[in-house]
Amino acid sequence: MAATTVSNKRVILKRYVTGFLSEEDMEVVTAEAPLMAVPAGSEAVVVKNLYISCDPYMRNRMTHHEVSSYVADYVPGEVLTNYGVMTVISSGHPDFKAGDLVWGITGWEEYTMIDNPESLSKINHPDLPLSYYTGVLGLPGLTAYAGFFEICKPKKGDYVFISAASGAVGQIVGQLAKITGCYVIGSAGSDEKVNLLKTKFGFDDAFNYKKELDLDAALKRYFPKGIDIYFENVGGAILDAVLPNMRLRGRIAACGMISQYNLDNPDGVHNLFYIVTKRLRMEGFLVFDYNEMYHRFEEEMAAYLKEGKIIYVEDVVVGLDAAPAALIGLFTGRNVGKQLVAVSQE
C-alpha cells in the first residue's frame, strides 16, 4: 500500500479545566492523519474510528494533578483518548489484519495509529450492534457486572437501590439485579428517565430525585424495610441520605460520584457513622481490577442480549463536532442512556 495521508478531524484539550467543564475547554481541529500504511518493521496498527465513548471519568483526566491519579492526565494540545470501536486499515501486528473490527483505547479523531495493539480486542459478536462495545459489552458492562456480583454479592430477595440508574452502568446493574431476583429501585434526573426505568428496564419502581425535597424521606417511602445493596454512581447528598436507610450488614459498591467531578471543593458526607452502627461494607473499585473476568462476562452478557433478557439504551450523537457537547451533557443529565459518538457509520 502506498504511504498516503489524509485529513483527520480530532478533538483536543485546549487547557486544563477547573470548575465545570465547558466546550471552550476543548477544540475540534483538522490535522494530517497518520500514514495509512504502517511503516515496515512496525507492529502498530492504523484504525478508522467508528464509535467513541463519552464517560464521566474523562473529566478527572482534564485536571492537572500534582499527585498522580489512577489514570494519566490528558495533555493540553493533544487529542483526547477513550474507548472506541474501530476497523483496522493497516497492520504490522501478526494478530490483526486490514478489515478486522476491534475495540479498545483510541483517539477522539477519525484515524489513529495505535503503537500497542496488544491493548485492542477483536469484536466477537458482530451480529450485535458494534456500538455495544462502547457500553454494555465494553467497560460499562463489565463495571456493572463486576461491581454488582463481586462487590455487592447479591442474594435473591435483596432490596437494591441504584443512583443514576438510567446511565451507561446503572441500567445494566438494575437488570442484572432483576435477573438475580432482587427488588430494584432506581433514581434518575427526569420523568422521561424514570419512565424508562420502569417500562423498559423492568425496575420495580423509580423516582426523580430532582422532585424530592427530602431524599431521606423519599428513600424511607420506597424502602420501608431498608436497603441491602446500594450501587453508588452519584455521591454527595444521595450518599448521605442512603447511609441511614441501609439495612444491617448492607453493601455499597462505590462505582462513581458524578455529582462531585466538577467541584473544586467536594461535598462532605455527614452520616458516615452509620457504616459503624449498621456494620456496612462500602468498597470502591475500578473496572481494570476485573479485566480477567472479561471473556466470561462477554459471553454471559451477549447471551442475555440475544435472548432479550437485557435491553440497552444508547444516546448517539453523530460526528466529532458534536463530541464536546455530548461529553458535557453527562454532567447535566442531558443524555438518556449510554452516551457515545458515531464518528463514521460505515
Side-chain angles (χ1 to χ4, degrees):
M1 183 186 295
T4 58
T5 59
V6 296
S7 64
N8 189 29
K9 187 176 286 188
R10 54 196 344 222
V11 182
I12 65 169
L13 180 68
K14 285 177 67 177
R15 55 183 176 241
Y16 284 124
V17 180
T18 57
F20 203 91
L21 180 65
S22 73
E23 289 192 53
E24 287 69 37
D25 295 316
M26 296 169 274
E27 185 176 10
V28 181
V29 299
T30 299
E32 190 175 90
L35 293 172
M36 291 293 101
V38 173
S42 170
E43 290 198 344
V45 298
V46 176
V47 298
K48 181 173 185 176
N49 296 309
L50 306 179
Y51 296 97
I52 53 173
S53 179
C54 296
D55 294 293
Y57 89 97
M58 297 175 69
R59 170 62 185 84
N60 182 62
R61 299 186 68 184
M62 294 177 172
T63 295
H64 178 63
H65 294 88
E66 295 295 338
V67 178
S68 296
S69 183
Y70 70 95
V71 64
D73 297 343
Y74 291 131
V75 178
E78 294 190 5
V79 68
L80 299 177
T81 58
N82 197 17
Y83 287 87
V85 173
M86 306 144 257
T87 183
V88 175
I89 299 293
S90 170
S91 174
H93 195 282
D95 292 343
F96 300 98
K97 65 181 186 302
D100 282 349
L101 292 168
V102 297
W103 72 277
I105 291 285
T106 190
W108 271 33
E109 56 190 347
E110 292 175 289
Y111 300 95
T112 303
M113 179 175 285
I114 298 173
D115 294 322
N116 58 331
E118 298 83 5
S119 65
L120 300 178
S121 299
K122 290 185 179 179
I123 286 179
N124 295 319
H125 295 275
D127 49 325
L128 291 167
L130 296 179
S131 56
Y132 278 9
Y133 280 86
T134 70
V136 64
L137 288 173
L139 269 291
L142 181 59
T143 299
Y145 185 90
F148 187 60
F149 289 116
E150 298 298 310
I151 302 225
C152 297
K153 300 191 182 304
K155 303 183 298 292
K156 183 178 181 180
D158 277 347
Y159 292 89
V160 177
F161 176 52
I162 305 160
S163 55
S166 67
V169 173
Q171 59 175 291
I172 305 170
V173 175
Q175 293 177 85
L176 290 173
K178 289 304 299 178
I179 289 170
T180 306
C182 301
Y183 180 82
V184 184
I185 303 286
S187 65
S190 73
D191 291 344
E192 177 189 7
K193 293 177 182 179
V194 166
N195 184 61
L196 194 68
L197 294 174
K198 294 192 289 187
T199 62
K200 198 170 189 74
F201 299 141
F203 282 50
D204 293 287
D205 213 336
F207 64 91
N208 182 346
Y209 72 89
K210 292 180 181 177
K211 289 187 171 181
E212 299 290 346
L213 299 179
D214 185 335
L215 289 171
D216 178 71
L219 290 171
K220 284 181 167 57
R221 188 167 74 249
Y222 285 98
F223 292 99
K225 296 182 180 180
I227 301 166
D228 292 297
I229 290 172
Y230 173 45
F231 202 95
E232 165 70 300
N233 292 308
V234 173
I238 290 185
L239 174 60
D240 221 17
V242 164
L243 290 169
N245 287 284
M246 294 294 294
R247 301 178 81 180
L248 287 179
R249 296 182 175 83
R251 290 87 73 200
I252 300 172
C255 174
M257 297 189 181
I258 195 170
S259 70
Q260 306 301 296
Y261 298 162
N262 287 291
L263 302 181
D264 291 332
N265 297 301
D267 294 330
V269 177
H270 306 283
N271 287 321
L272 289 175
F273 191 58
Y274 283 100
I275 294 176
V276 177
T277 60
K278 291 177 176 283
R279 286 80 105 192
L280 306 177
R281 183 168 59 81
M282 181 174 180
E283 183 176 347
F285 72 102
L286 296 176
V287 65
F288 316 115
D289 300 335
Y290 298 96
N291 282 344
E292 76 283 352
M293 294 178 58
Y294 178 75
H295 291 296
R296 185 182 89 197
F297 150 77
E298 181 189 28
E299 292 310 306
E300 191 171 327
M301 185 59 68
Y304 284 147
L305 290 164
K306 292 174 183 181
E307 294 165 7
K309 291 182 178 179
I310 284 185
I311 305 297
Y312 200 60
V313 170
E314 299 173 314
D315 191 326
V316 185
V317 300
V318 177
L320 287 164
D321 289 316
L327 179 62
I328 292 166
L330 293 175
F331 303 102
T332 61
R334 189 208 62 80
N335 60 301
V336 179
K338 165 63 187 170
Q339 184 67 70
L340 63 141
V341 180
V343 182
S344 174
Q345 294 182 301
E346 287 187 354

